[in-house]
Amino acid sequence: MLPDDTFSVDPVEQRPDKPEEACGVFGVYAPGEPVANLAYFGLFALQHRGQESAGIATFEEGDVIHLHKDMGLVSQVFNETKLKDLPGYLAIGHTRYSTTGSSRVVNAQPTLAKSRLGTLALAHNGNLVNTSELRAELAETNHDFATTTDSEAIALAIAEEVNRGNDWVNGAINAFKRCRGAFSLAIGTPDGMIGTRDPNGVRPLVLGTLAQESQDQPLRYVLASETCGLDIIGADYVRDVQPGEMVWITEDGMESIFWAEQPARKLCIFEMIYFARPDSLMHNETLYSYRLRIGRQLASESNIDADIVIAVPDSGVPAAIGFSQTSGIPYAEGLIKNRYVGRTFIQPTQGMREAGIRMKLNPLKDVLAGKRVIIVDDSIVRGTTSRKIVRTLRDAGAIEVHMRISSPPVTHPCFYGIDTDSQDHLIAATKSIDEIAKQIEVDSLQYLSWEGMLAATREDPNEFCSACFTGDYPITIPETIKRSKLMLEKTAH
Ligand code: SF4
């Protein structure tokens, strides 16, 4: 979820050297029960999808809404007192990452919008590509915008459709049809909870249920960006919300409505490679299993001998283990991650930022000294972190450092809810693999092939978005937005 159609870019060196997931969404509907604590734990499990702000809105009988949102981690934003101030049987929650320029509490979610049927609360993961258009349409009916976000535009569009005389279901569907781009949404209303995914299903959204304590108890439904958000509260995974589907959950149960005219399947492949938690299920297996397979595939495409295989922790670990299994080269831990350190870009000075990588990753000298090392990572964006890691390994005594990447070169920015740099800052967009190897100071560098990445999914390769590796964007991007991030094409034309 990014502000407006323009992408604010922080000073390059201050930005993390990985694509950043932009949001996690959560919803729970349990008539007669307080649910704020369930939402808190759900967001806690989805913390990896956004670390800059968090929020929960709860609904009580009689169109009473409570909302608390603030900047910070879920554990910083909420405490027992704050959760007690959120009574209600329906909760919508959100964790958000954004670029620094838009890190304002007003942009934190859930977003509220008033309608003739009551107030709605909306949590969004994704990014619209027609925000300006939608906001211009909404401005014609004098909507007051509190933010510049696409999420607010969706919420206001639903309210507008409801105010035209539609019920919640038709109002929401009419509004979804006005949106283009990536959107997985959890929406609370005084009459029920809505979950939906855009017609391409770019971002994930799953449906679960809490176990019934008696046969008379109504089914209690949960929506979450990933299944780890269900596991943490003991909810059973039922199924994915399908691309272009809306689920409408009320005291009468759940209704499924397919609203998109031409639904497709274009799940973001980066969710599989890196963003989603390894213990989350996608395509009926944990992502740990997929990441093991891409490591095996990477090994089968690699021709280098070494003494040990290590990972850039934590995200490179499953692929490194898979690499070791197929290559027969022993897996070892070579870098220890300090799990209590935040993102390196909070360091105020360049010198301290340089030191940041040592704050996060410390080498095991006994393991590395005198060894030919293969290090597996999930991706390279700008390459600045990679070079620091390689220097760390050499300082610890590694005699050769070979880097293997469990995804293809990232050559294009994302417009669908992942915060990547503009194209001119993506190292693989401007340099050959040999040039990158030289820049990050490795003895050899190899990326996983695009075909290998998709084959390892064991699904139809056409059912994924892999545009940041190919530039083949499944949802058309207006020229004005393209120009904000496709800097190289802009220069070329
Ligand atoms: S462009 Fe890349 S990061 Fe964005 S949705 Fe497609 S695969 Fe995912």
mmCIF file of all heavy atoms in Angstrom, residues 202-203 268-270 414 416 418 465-468, ligand 1:
data_model
loop_
_atom_site.group_PDB
_atom_site.id
_atom_site.type_symbol
_atom_site.label_atom_id
_atom_site.label_comp_id
_atom_site.label_asym_id
_atom_site.label_seq_id
_atom_site.Cartn_x
_atom_site.Cartn_y
_atom_site.Cartn_z
ATOM 1 N N VAL A 202 -3.138 -11.037 -6.950
ATOM 2 C CA VAL A 202 -1.685 -10.798 -6.834
ATOM 3 C C VAL A 202 -1.213 -11.011 -5.398
ATOM 4 O O VAL A 202 -0.182 -11.639 -5.159
ATOM 5 C CB VAL A 202 -1.329 -9.371 -7.321
ATOM 6 C CG1 VAL A 202 0.144 -9.072 -7.100
ATOM 7 C CG2 VAL A 202 -1.691 -9.205 -8.790
ATOM 8 N N ARG A 203 -1.955 -10.480 -4.452
ATOM 9 C CA ARG A 203 -1.598 -10.653 -3.034
ATOM 10 C C ARG A 203 -2.465 -11.762 -2.430
ATOM 11 O O ARG A 203 -3.614 -11.934 -2.824
ATOM 12 C CB ARG A 203 -1.818 -9.343 -2.253
ATOM 13 C CG ARG A 203 -0.989 -8.196 -2.736
ATOM 14 C CD ARG A 203 0.442 -8.214 -2.195
ATOM 15 N NE ARG A 203 1.333 -7.673 -3.209
ATOM 16 C CZ ARG A 203 2.381 -8.310 -3.719
ATOM 17 N NH1 ARG A 203 2.708 -9.504 -3.274
ATOM 18 N NH2 ARG A 203 3.117 -7.767 -4.650
ATOM 19 N N CYS A 268 1.882 -13.156 -6.773
ATOM 20 C CA CYS A 268 3.252 -12.633 -6.765
ATOM 21 C C CYS A 268 4.230 -13.755 -6.407
ATOM 22 O O CYS A 268 4.155 -14.332 -5.323
ATOM 23 C CB CYS A 268 3.337 -11.523 -5.721
ATOM 24 S SG CYS A 268 5.009 -11.004 -5.330
ATOM 25 N N ILE A 269 5.142 -14.058 -7.310
ATOM 26 C CA ILE A 269 6.094 -15.149 -7.059
ATOM 27 C C ILE A 269 7.046 -14.801 -5.918
ATOM 28 O O ILE A 269 7.573 -15.686 -5.241
ATOM 29 C CB ILE A 269 6.877 -15.510 -8.357
ATOM 30 C CG1 ILE A 269 7.658 -16.827 -8.202
ATOM 31 C CG2 ILE A 269 7.831 -14.401 -8.765
ATOM 32 C CD1 ILE A 269 6.840 -18.057 -8.254
ATOM 33 N N PHE A 270 7.224 -13.508 -5.666
ATOM 34 C CA PHE A 270 8.107 -13.104 -4.565
ATOM 35 C C PHE A 270 7.507 -13.463 -3.201
ATOM 36 O O PHE A 270 8.220 -13.602 -2.220
ATOM 37 C CB PHE A 270 8.404 -11.598 -4.628
ATOM 38 C CG PHE A 270 9.860 -11.294 -4.834
ATOM 39 C CD1 PHE A 270 10.278 -10.481 -5.865
ATOM 40 C CD2 PHE A 270 10.825 -11.843 -3.988
ATOM 41 C CE1 PHE A 270 11.620 -10.211 -6.063
ATOM 42 C CE2 PHE A 270 12.170 -11.574 -4.168
ATOM 43 C CZ PHE A 270 12.570 -10.756 -5.213
ATOM 44 N N CYS A 414 8.371 -3.083 -8.839
ATOM 45 C CA CYS A 414 7.015 -3.599 -8.627
ATOM 46 C C CYS A 414 6.043 -2.432 -8.505
ATOM 47 O O CYS A 414 6.348 -1.426 -7.875
ATOM 48 C CB CYS A 414 6.982 -4.432 -7.352
ATOM 49 S SG CYS A 414 5.329 -5.087 -6.998
ATOM 50 N N TYR A 416 2.741 -3.337 -7.656
ATOM 51 C CA TYR A 416 1.569 -4.023 -7.096
ATOM 52 C C TYR A 416 1.672 -4.256 -5.590
ATOM 53 O O TYR A 416 1.269 -5.287 -5.085
ATOM 54 C CB TYR A 416 1.364 -5.367 -7.803
ATOM 55 C CG TYR A 416 1.310 -5.298 -9.302
ATOM 56 C CD1 TYR A 416 1.933 -6.278 -10.084
ATOM 57 C CD2 TYR A 416 0.640 -4.272 -9.957
ATOM 58 C CE1 TYR A 416 1.877 -6.239 -11.467
ATOM 59 C CE2 TYR A 416 0.595 -4.215 -11.335
ATOM 60 C CZ TYR A 416 1.216 -5.195 -12.087
ATOM 61 O OH TYR A 416 1.166 -5.150 -13.457
ATOM 62 N N ILE A 418 4.586 -3.975 -3.530
ATOM 63 C CA ILE A 418 5.890 -4.256 -2.950
ATOM 64 C C ILE A 418 6.752 -3.025 -3.173
ATOM 65 O O ILE A 418 6.772 -2.465 -4.263
ATOM 66 C CB ILE A 418 6.555 -5.478 -3.623
ATOM 67 C CG1 ILE A 418 5.716 -6.728 -3.407
ATOM 68 C CG2 ILE A 418 7.978 -5.673 -3.096
ATOM 69 C CD1 ILE A 418 5.486 -7.095 -1.982
ATOM 70 N N CYS A 465 2.680 -13.826 -11.108
ATOM 71 C CA CYS A 465 3.316 -12.596 -11.584
ATOM 72 C C CYS A 465 4.808 -12.742 -11.307
ATOM 73 O O CYS A 465 5.201 -13.068 -10.187
ATOM 74 C CB CYS A 465 2.775 -11.377 -10.843
ATOM 75 S SG CYS A 465 3.673 -9.859 -11.295
ATOM 76 N N SER A 466 5.617 -12.539 -12.331
ATOM 77 C CA SER A 466 7.068 -12.523 -12.121
ATOM 78 C C SER A 466 7.663 -11.312 -12.840
ATOM 79 O O SER A 466 8.774 -11.354 -13.350
ATOM 80 C CB SER A 466 7.701 -13.829 -12.612
ATOM 81 O OG SER A 466 7.450 -14.033 -13.986
ATOM 82 N N ALA A 467 6.869 -10.219 -12.838
ATOM 83 C CA ALA A 467 7.239 -9.053 -13.647
ATOM 84 C C ALA A 467 8.541 -8.401 -13.213
ATOM 85 O O ALA A 467 9.212 -7.768 -14.028
ATOM 86 C CB ALA A 467 6.109 -8.029 -13.599
ATOM 87 N N CYS A 468 8.908 -8.511 -11.934
ATOM 88 C CA CYS A 468 10.158 -7.834 -11.539
ATOM 89 C C CYS A 468 11.377 -8.558 -12.102
ATOM 90 O O CYS A 468 12.479 -8.017 -12.068
ATOM 91 C CB CYS A 468 10.244 -7.644 -10.036
ATOM 92 S SG CYS A 468 9.825 -9.058 -9.092
HETATM 93 S S1 SF4 B 1 6.325 -7.298 -9.918
HETATM 94 FE FE1 SF4 B 1 7.524 -8.774 -8.659
HETATM 95 S S2 SF4 B 1 7.180 -8.186 -6.525
HETATM 96 FE FE2 SF4 B 1 5.587 -7.181 -7.766
HETATM 97 S S3 SF4 B 1 3.828 -8.563 -7.750
HETATM 98 FE FE3 SF4 B 1 5.003 -9.095 -9.577
HETATM 99 S S4 SF4 B 1 6.438 -10.705 -8.893
HETATM 100 FE FE4 SF4 B 1 5.628 -9.711 -7.062
#
